[in-house]
Amino acid sequence: MRYYVETDGKVFLVNRAGTLDLPDREEVPFPFEEIAELPTHEPVLFCTPRLSRHPHEWLGKDELPYHSSVSPLAAEAVHTTMPRVVVEGISIKGGAVLLVKGNRGLTAGLWSLPGGFLRFGETPPQALRRELKEELQVKAKLEKLLAVKSKLGKKSNLHWIIIFYRISIAERPSPNPDEIAAAKYFPLQQAKRLLSDDLMREQVGLVASDI
């Protein structure tokens, strides 16, 4: 097991024959807190140090992947620590909730809310409108920002930031088969059972209770 120790954008590395690499446990000379395992090709544990000062001499995580002396594992670990931001829309009509079933990627074969990744340079509303157009060929009205949630994925081990909006859709969804296998409104309780994500299930329940 290697240890990825980060604070304020600085990462602790050790020098092994000229290569800057992630330390083993015995190579970390200060107390630290273990947070979670990273989804790297070798076992790596994300940790936060307990220090009395800011470690100015440590390499910054933004420059680390481009440093000529950094090991591939250290560069990979930096990439996996970057939060993934997604936007999700909750559309409810007559007590039924719109769900989509993905046919590729992390949601393949699973029911979830319509939405997707925030692109570089987009605002969350722009991202959700784009995703709804791409996935379902619809224009949506964003009625209300509901919540911003965070979690570590149970399967992916990635850090997810999920932004939820209440939306209204006048058009009939027409799934893009490149992304979406099916789109359907389900009664609330059935929708909650079908949803594959706990945070989505929680938000759908909260929205429905306010209607």
Side-chain angles (χ1 to χ4, degrees):
M1 176 73 74
R2 297 293 182 86
Y3 288 74
Y4 178 95
V5 186
E6 179 191 326
T7 182
D8 292 333
K10 295 286 189 174
V11 182
F12 177 72
L13 301 171
V14 294
N15 193 320
R16 292 196 180 94
T19 298
L20 298 176
D21 202 0
L22 300 178
D24 297 325
R25 188 182 187 96
E26 60 271 15
E27 293 176 308
V28 182
F30 43 77
F32 59 88
E33 180 181 359
E34 298 180 358
I35 303 298
E37 190 168 339
L38 297 175
T40 43
H41 75 279
E42 294 181 26
V44 175
L45 194 63
F46 183 96
C47 305
T48 56
R50 293 195 290 272
L51 304 171
S52 59
R53 65 174 185 85
H54 179 72
H56 296 279
E57 68 279 12
W58 293 7
L59 204 60
K61 69 183 300 179
D62 289 329
E63 61 181 308
L64 187 154
Y66 309 104
H67 197 287
S68 60
S69 299
V70 166
S71 72
L73 180 60
E76 180 189 3
V78 167
H79 174 70
T80 62
T81 65
M82 300 296 186
R84 272 59 173 176
V85 182
V86 294
V87 286
E88 307 290 351
I90 299 177
S91 173
I92 299 180
K93 289 184 179 181
V97 184
L98 177 61
L99 302 186
V100 297
K101 180 185 285 187
N103 62 11
R104 60 178 170 83
L106 293 172
T107 60
L110 302 175
W111 289 100
S112 63
L113 296 171
F117 284 98
L118 186 76
R119 279 182 182 170
F120 181 83
E122 280 186 323
T123 65
Q126 288 172 336
L128 184 52
R129 291 190 183 99
R130 173 184 54 77
E131 287 286 355
L132 289 165
K133 186 66 176 177
E134 291 176 356
E135 290 183 352
L136 302 176
Q137 318 303 314
V138 297
K139 293 182 179 180
K141 179 181 178 182
L142 276 60
E143 297 181 342
K144 183 180 180 181
L145 172 63
L146 297 172
V148 178
K149 298 289 184 175
S150 174
K151 71 168 189 174
L152 289 178
K154 294 178 181 178
K155 294 182 179 179
S156 68
N157 277 9
L158 293 172
H159 182 192
W160 296 92
I161 305 296
I162 308 176
I163 305 171
F164 293 94
Y165 286 90
R166 173 72 190 273
I167 63 173
S168 60
I169 299 173
E171 306 159 271
R172 182 176 180 178
S174 177
N176 177 356
D178 183 55
E179 297 187 57
I180 303 300
K184 183 179 177 181
Y185 281 90
F186 290 95
L188 174 61
Q189 294 305 319
Q190 184 180 4
K192 290 172 68 176
R193 288 194 300 270
L194 288 172
L195 279 167
S196 58
D197 181 85
D198 292 340
L199 289 181
M200 291 184 186
R201 192 177 301 113
E202 173 188 330
Q203 289 303 309
V204 164
L206 290 173
V207 172
S209 66
D210 290 337
I211 296 176

